[in-house]
Amino acid sequence: MNGATSVFVSDVDFSFWLIFIISALCLVGITGFVIFSIIKYNRKNNPEPTHIEGHTGLEIVWTVIPTILVMFIFYFGMKGFIKMRSVPENAMEIQVDAGMWWWKFTYPNGLEQTTGQGLTVPVDTPIYLPLHSVDVIHSFYIPAFRVKMDVVPKAEGEKLNYTWFEAGKPGDYDLFCAEYCGLNHAQMLSKVHVLSQEDYDAWFAEASKAQAKLKSESPGKALLISKGCIACHSTDGSKLIGPSLKGLIGKTETVLTDGAERTITVDDTYLRRSLNEPAADIVKGFQPLMPPLPLTPQEVDDLIQYIHELSEETAE
Amino acid sequence: MTEQTATVEIPHHHDETGTRLGFWLFLYTELFLFAAFFLIYAVYRSNYLVEFRTAAESLNTGIGTQNTIILLASSLTMVLSLNALKAGKARMAKTFLQFTITLGLAFLVIKGFEWGAKFDHHLFLQTTKGIAAGEGSLLLNPSAEMLPVGQVLFFGLYFIMTGTHALHIVIGLIWMIIVYVWISKGSINPDNYGTLERCGLYWHLVDLIWIFLFPLYYLVA
Amino acid sequence: MEPSQSGSYLQSHTSSRWTKGFMSWFMSTDHKRIGIMYGVSMFSFFGLAVLLGFFIKLQKLFPAASGWEIIPPELYGSFFTLHAVIMIFLFIVPGAPAILGNFFLPLQIGAKDVAFPRVNLLSYWLYLFGAVMAVAGIVLGGADTGWTFTPPYSVTTKTISLFGFTVDSVSWMLVATFILGWGTILTGINFIVTIHRMRAEGMTFFKMPLFTWSIYATSWLQVLATPVVGITLLMIVIERILPVGFFDPAKGGDPILFQHLFWIYSHPAVYIMILPSMGLISEIIPTNSQKSIFGYKSIAIASCSIAGVGYLLWAHHMFTTGISDFAAILFSFLTFLVAIPTAIKVFNWTATLYKGSIVLTPPMLFALAFIFNFSIGGLTGMFLGSLSTDIHLHDTDFVVAHFHYTMFGGAAFGIIAGIYHYFSKMFGKMYSMKWANRSFIFMFIGFNTLYFPMLILGFFGMPRRYHTYPDIPVYNNLQMLSTFGSWILVTGVVLVLGTWIHGLIKGKRTTEQNPWNSSTLEWQTATPPTLFNFEEAVVVTREPYDYHGFREDVKNGKAAGVIHD
Amino acid sequence: MKDIFKSINVLNPSIVFIVLVLLTITTVLLSGIDVSDSTAVIIALAVASIKAALVLTYFMHLNHEPLVFKVFLGVAFFTLLVIFLLTFSDYSFREMS
Ligand code: HEA
Ligand code: HEA
Ligand code: CUA
Ligand SMILES: [Cu+2]
């Protein structure tokens, strides 16, 4: 990869190519010697083998040389790692939350960005990222930055895993989930947008304003985005991992309750139950994949309100 | 070739020491099995020191001590049983084995009461976040008060570790009963006591594990 | 009448109902028959796993954007899980010790059987039971946890029922693995005692062949590591069934602790896989160079130190999980230590070739390919052991390529080499050399075409366990190349298995005792061996690889062999 | 009765048993003392280890076994020790919040 997209690239790539050169030399040496031997000491050319049992000197040589080489490799790997674990004091903090199968990035002022929007950061600024998962282990991976850390769910009071980086070049970079987390692991993709400081400031002001507006006008819609519902539910009628939330109110559905099928009509009580205990009723044709999400009663009301709005849109 | 009923067994000279060596290796696997538990215990104890100590207070040291001594005594009678058999006293060996079995049963009964009391106090399988409730477990009493997570871990480990240990006691008891029958039949006798010896080794291992379980659960509160 | 002593072990020795035909195998306590039974069972399961691997690759032929979908995402997870569970727990971990170790360990040390023949049979039954159970898992819905069973995912994942069954197939799979573990443990105990107690007269520890040494080291790992993972997996089952928490943070547990316990076993397990194959290579290379192995003692000691040091580095699988920085650095350091004994072995093998008299028989070809592939596998391990590079490469296709290079290019190539080497001794028949050589060419080319691109893919950040991948040109091209490789490779596998089956049925009968002219003890007995292995009591006087003395013995008619002049 | 004692050797195991019981009582009593947590754990485990050693040596007859048995035991315990130490190289150095 060209240029320094992040501060870690030089360390990691130096180690990488160092090991690569050592390895390539070893491999070529060994293979070369094998090929040389099978030609030179082929049974046709050399019917009488020479009796050799060993050679202490040689054995010492090839014990000591690899030892020295691997200690070199170890040293440079460690050096790069220590840098990755030492967050600069002045770093800007962006909280990363992950769940099946969405990302959420929360800025110090409360601005929230989700999977589709990606993580937007200014260039040449260290960014500190505490990593928090609401369900299973995910892994926050930006290949171009050589950054990877697992997003581990923690019991209360335990310290979160973290990582940091400092981007070196404006541009868009892939962000992957690198730890298997179920069905849509391969689709838990997002982007990192690196902007110049001016662009970033402009974007930040704009985005914060837009979010404040959405929150006051339609808190339900804002929640749908910030809680990651839209990773599994569409609002336009198309089927994703879960059923679409469009036109839900008043719809007749077959659901599985404790293994038994029953037919219900969607109303507020049913929705409330669906949100609080997702495993209680499973809509036919879907897997029981919806995680129990921590929602306050107020949030539940807002969500139901918004699902109503979505249904009215269809009715019009 | 003439008709033969038995399977062809490779005639293989009997190597008592070899068999015992193999059995010791087997005992190490049991030891490592418990080692995994002890490791988990150690880590969670260091993470949740306060909760572990509070939870441990609800265990009855008296009962624990009693059970420890019972197991030690059963180990003693086991040794004596083997010694008796080696000395050619099969009857006496059987008597000592009876003692051992009785003591083992006594251990289980006491353990049973202890567990029962814990169940009554709903110390089993409580979680703070009520995740379990949705899973419809019969063992859970949703109305009971939830314990802090550290204590939940403590009791989870307590039950699984003493439970696994009790399972080993049960296996040991069954084995002893078989050995008892075989001594009666004479297939285990003063010249062929290897099976009793291995049964004894197993029983001592069970004792050995309890020697470590006891202080970790009952004493360091 | 005494059972016939001189007949081959392949003939039935009695004519009773229970000891004829199938039952004479299934109930047999003869280590040689048990070895063959393992071989046949492993083959069958292995065939299934290869097929799964083939589909995994086929799925990756085109990116998601192209709409290409051979396996739906629900199945992909179960596919790679079952692929790995079969390959690891049913094939490569028990593989070499169970098949070739069972057959040749007693022969190599001049024993009549293993120490506990009936326990040996029990191991096989446990193996078969666990194996059938694991494979049944996919029918019952398929676990999609990966072979690492990482919680909390493995605790929370719901079973996806395929055919209307509602069995908890994750627990099912875990219990199967637990049972398989006991089979392995018992085999390990058996071998340790056999080696300690049943060596022939004169067979001191430092006269044991290197395959026996490697089995010895392996057995220790099996005995001391397997119980830890067994109980850990059962705890996941308990956690799934009862609402108690050990590893799920929602219930106070620490998922990283599970990973510690899992890798405490599973890292030593990778040496369980590779050591026996290394042992086989140490037999094949001297034989086909007609020359003493270079540095016998250091290879023997290296086997044991790999096993010992191999115990100390498990957390190198966990560098990104947030273990303490101190632990990460410590474990990285320890990881590099294991490279040293391995390097010694590799260099000693190559040095053995020097001034030898080399023939490129099929086993020798596979053995040399082992050195090449395993060196790549091991050297890529250096990239992963080094901290900063591992952060980048962890959980990418680079790791996938690393472990296929070691497990498949190394361990499995070693097993194949071993079977080619010992085929005539085991069955009294010879396969077709021509087809054996052809199978080698396909395997070697296919293997490297399949996995080398994955190393590069990993460097470019392609994560593993991805059902599909983003439409990026580098990814597309390399994935496609790699899929082509899988087709060549599978042709190779078919040819290998075909050559063996053809050899078994139509191969030329042979009773030649020592066709490759090897100096070790297992060749100094009838082909195929008789029921009790050796006609007379064995007394060992020579060093195992003393080709000089061996040639003298052959010339004097004291040993079986062919001297090519 | 007396020669039974002689011929089957009741005395030695009984002495070991009594020592074991005494150690059990000691450790229970010691647990009553108010010391820091780690000291308490160390004391409890030390006593348990002495008891374990007694059981191994006398009840399980390790004292009469050939050297290999002892070497194997050493290997097993050493491995255990390593597992514990290395695991705690992680947990003891985690930054806790
Ligand atoms: C047979 C199996 C096998 C073997 C032998 C090895 C051998 C090694 N492995 Fe591998 N490994 C696996 C199977 C194996 N591995 C598996 C299955 C996984 C992934 C599991 C999963 O996540 O699903 C894995 C993953 C894995 C990781 C974790 C990667 C990650 O997930 O981030 C690491 C990290 O350190 C690693 C390192 C090593 C090292 C250092 C060796 C060393 O033993 C290699 C030593 C060999 C050599 C070094 C080459 C020979 C020597 C020379 C040619 C001499 C010259 C050498 C030098 C001068 C250095 N392996
Ligand atoms: C021994 C181990 C082994 C072997 C041989 C293989 C063989 C193959 N593997 Fe496997 N693979 C694993 C172990 C193995 N795999 C593991 C552990 C994982 C990790 C899963 C996880 O993430 O949890 C994995 C994952 C894995 C992935 C990554 C999945 C993902 O992350 O999304 C892929 C993708 O390409 C793949 C492909 C293949 C292919 C195409 C083959 C084969 O089709 C190639 C053909 C095979 C052969 C040619 C073998 C020849 C050997 C013989 C003929 C010997 C026979 C002898 C006897 C039976 C006695 N494998
Ligand atoms: Cu989230 Cu993979
Ligand atoms: Cu490893």
Side-chain angles (χ1 to χ4, degrees), chain B residues 142-153:
Chain B
S143 63
E145 226 176 272
M146 296 297 184
L147 294 170
V149 273
Q151 295 200 30
V152 177
L153 282 173

PDB file of all heavy atoms in Angstrom, chain B residues 142-153:
ATOM      1  N   PRO B 142     -38.605 -16.286  39.167  1.00  0.00           N
ATOM      2  CA  PRO B 142     -38.454 -14.904  38.700  1.00  0.00           C
ATOM      3  C   PRO B 142     -38.764 -13.881  39.782  1.00  0.00           C
ATOM      4  O   PRO B 142     -38.289 -12.758  39.715  1.00  0.00           O
ATOM      5  CB  PRO B 142     -39.466 -14.791  37.560  1.00  0.00           C
ATOM      6  CG  PRO B 142     -40.041 -16.140  37.372  1.00  0.00           C
ATOM      7  CD  PRO B 142     -39.712 -16.979  38.536  1.00  0.00           C
ATOM      8  N   SER B 143     -39.530 -14.285  40.776  1.00  0.00           N
ATOM      9  CA  SER B 143     -39.912 -13.290  41.777  1.00  0.00           C
ATOM     10  C   SER B 143     -38.799 -13.083  42.802  1.00  0.00           C
ATOM     11  O   SER B 143     -38.769 -12.089  43.496  1.00  0.00           O
ATOM     12  CB  SER B 143     -41.173 -13.731  42.493  1.00  0.00           C
ATOM     13  OG  SER B 143     -40.905 -14.939  43.178  1.00  0.00           O
ATOM     14  N   ALA B 144     -37.880 -14.056  42.887  1.00  0.00           N
ATOM     15  CA  ALA B 144     -36.819 -13.926  43.877  1.00  0.00           C
ATOM     16  C   ALA B 144     -35.942 -12.731  43.561  1.00  0.00           C
ATOM     17  O   ALA B 144     -35.819 -12.311  42.417  1.00  0.00           O
ATOM     18  CB  ALA B 144     -35.970 -15.181  43.902  1.00  0.00           C
ATOM     19  N   GLU B 145     -35.305 -12.223  44.589  1.00  0.00           N
ATOM     20  CA  GLU B 145     -34.466 -11.057  44.380  1.00  0.00           C
ATOM     21  C   GLU B 145     -33.210 -11.458  43.607  1.00  0.00           C
ATOM     22  O   GLU B 145     -32.668 -12.535  43.805  1.00  0.00           O
ATOM     23  CB  GLU B 145     -34.069 -10.492  45.736  1.00  0.00           C
ATOM     24  CG  GLU B 145     -34.240  -8.995  45.795  1.00  0.00           C
ATOM     25  CD  GLU B 145     -33.914  -8.529  47.194  1.00  0.00           C
ATOM     26  OE1 GLU B 145     -34.819  -8.516  48.049  1.00  0.00           O
ATOM     27  OE2 GLU B 145     -32.735  -8.215  47.404  1.00  0.00           O
ATOM     28  N   MET B 146     -32.756 -10.584  42.766  1.00  0.00           N
ATOM     29  CA  MET B 146     -31.590 -10.914  41.960  1.00  0.00           C
ATOM     30  C   MET B 146     -30.309 -10.655  42.757  1.00  0.00           C
ATOM     31  O   MET B 146     -30.192  -9.686  43.482  1.00  0.00           O
ATOM     32  CB  MET B 146     -31.571 -10.049  40.708  1.00  0.00           C
ATOM     33  CG  MET B 146     -32.749 -10.313  39.807  1.00  0.00           C
ATOM     34  SD  MET B 146     -32.719 -11.989  39.199  1.00  0.00           S
ATOM     35  CE  MET B 146     -34.131 -11.962  38.101  1.00  0.00           C
ATOM     36  N   LEU B 147     -29.353 -11.523  42.567  1.00  0.00           N
ATOM     37  CA  LEU B 147     -28.066 -11.352  43.229  1.00  0.00           C
ATOM     38  C   LEU B 147     -27.136 -10.534  42.345  1.00  0.00           C
ATOM     39  O   LEU B 147     -27.307 -10.487  41.139  1.00  0.00           O
ATOM     40  CB  LEU B 147     -27.417 -12.721  43.441  1.00  0.00           C
ATOM     41  CG  LEU B 147     -28.103 -13.680  44.388  1.00  0.00           C
ATOM     42  CD1 LEU B 147     -27.458 -15.035  44.269  1.00  0.00           C
ATOM     43  CD2 LEU B 147     -27.996 -13.173  45.805  1.00  0.00           C
ATOM     44  N   PRO B 148     -26.108  -9.927  42.941  1.00  0.00           N
ATOM     45  CA  PRO B 148     -25.086  -9.276  42.104  1.00  0.00           C
ATOM     46  C   PRO B 148     -24.345 -10.322  41.261  1.00  0.00           C
ATOM     47  O   PRO B 148     -24.210 -11.470  41.693  1.00  0.00           O
ATOM     48  CB  PRO B 148     -24.131  -8.655  43.116  1.00  0.00           C
ATOM     49  CG  PRO B 148     -24.727  -8.832  44.445  1.00  0.00           C
ATOM     50  CD  PRO B 148     -25.846  -9.806  44.354  1.00  0.00           C
ATOM     51  N   VAL B 149     -23.872  -9.901  40.093  1.00  0.00           N
ATOM     52  CA  VAL B 149     -23.265 -10.873  39.179  1.00  0.00           C
ATOM     53  C   VAL B 149     -22.142 -11.685  39.807  1.00  0.00           C
ATOM     54  O   VAL B 149     -22.011 -12.877  39.552  1.00  0.00           O
ATOM     55  CB  VAL B 149     -22.734 -10.213  37.885  1.00  0.00           C
ATOM     56  CG1 VAL B 149     -23.814 -10.117  36.867  1.00  0.00           C
ATOM     57  CG2 VAL B 149     -22.073  -8.906  38.155  1.00  0.00           C
ATOM     58  N   GLY B 150     -21.325 -11.026  40.634  1.00  0.00           N
ATOM     59  CA  GLY B 150     -20.204 -11.749  41.235  1.00  0.00           C
ATOM     60  C   GLY B 150     -20.689 -12.941  42.038  1.00  0.00           C
ATOM     61  O   GLY B 150     -20.114 -14.019  42.012  1.00  0.00           O
ATOM     62  N   GLN B 151     -21.801 -12.741  42.760  1.00  0.00           N
ATOM     63  CA  GLN B 151     -22.328 -13.845  43.555  1.00  0.00           C
ATOM     64  C   GLN B 151     -22.945 -14.915  42.678  1.00  0.00           C
ATOM     65  O   GLN B 151     -22.868 -16.096  42.982  1.00  0.00           O
ATOM     66  CB  GLN B 151     -23.359 -13.312  44.546  1.00  0.00           C
ATOM     67  CG  GLN B 151     -22.744 -12.375  45.571  1.00  0.00           C
ATOM     68  CD  GLN B 151     -23.623 -12.234  46.797  1.00  0.00           C
ATOM     69  OE1 GLN B 151     -24.337 -13.147  47.161  1.00  0.00           O
ATOM     70  NE2 GLN B 151     -23.565 -11.069  47.430  1.00  0.00           N
ATOM     71  N   VAL B 152     -23.552 -14.485  41.588  1.00  0.00           N
ATOM     72  CA  VAL B 152     -24.097 -15.466  40.655  1.00  0.00           C
ATOM     73  C   VAL B 152     -22.975 -16.366  40.163  1.00  0.00           C
ATOM     74  O   VAL B 152     -23.091 -17.594  40.125  1.00  0.00           O
ATOM     75  CB  VAL B 152     -24.756 -14.771  39.457  1.00  0.00           C
ATOM     76  CG1 VAL B 152     -25.246 -15.807  38.467  1.00  0.00           C
ATOM     77  CG2 VAL B 152     -25.897 -13.904  39.908  1.00  0.00           C
ATOM     78  N   LEU B 153     -21.857 -15.751  39.795  1.00  0.00           N
ATOM     79  CA  LEU B 153     -20.719 -16.540  39.341  1.00  0.00           C
ATOM     80  C   LEU B 153     -20.249 -17.481  40.438  1.00  0.00           C
ATOM     81  O   LEU B 153     -19.974 -18.649  40.194  1.00  0.00           O
ATOM     82  CB  LEU B 153     -19.566 -15.618  38.941  1.00  0.00           C
ATOM     83  CG  LEU B 153     -19.698 -14.952  37.599  1.00  0.00           C
ATOM     84  CD1 LEU B 153     -18.585 -13.954  37.403  1.00  0.00           C
ATOM     85  CD2 LEU B 153     -19.664 -15.999  36.503  1.00  0.00           C
TER      86      LEU B 153
END
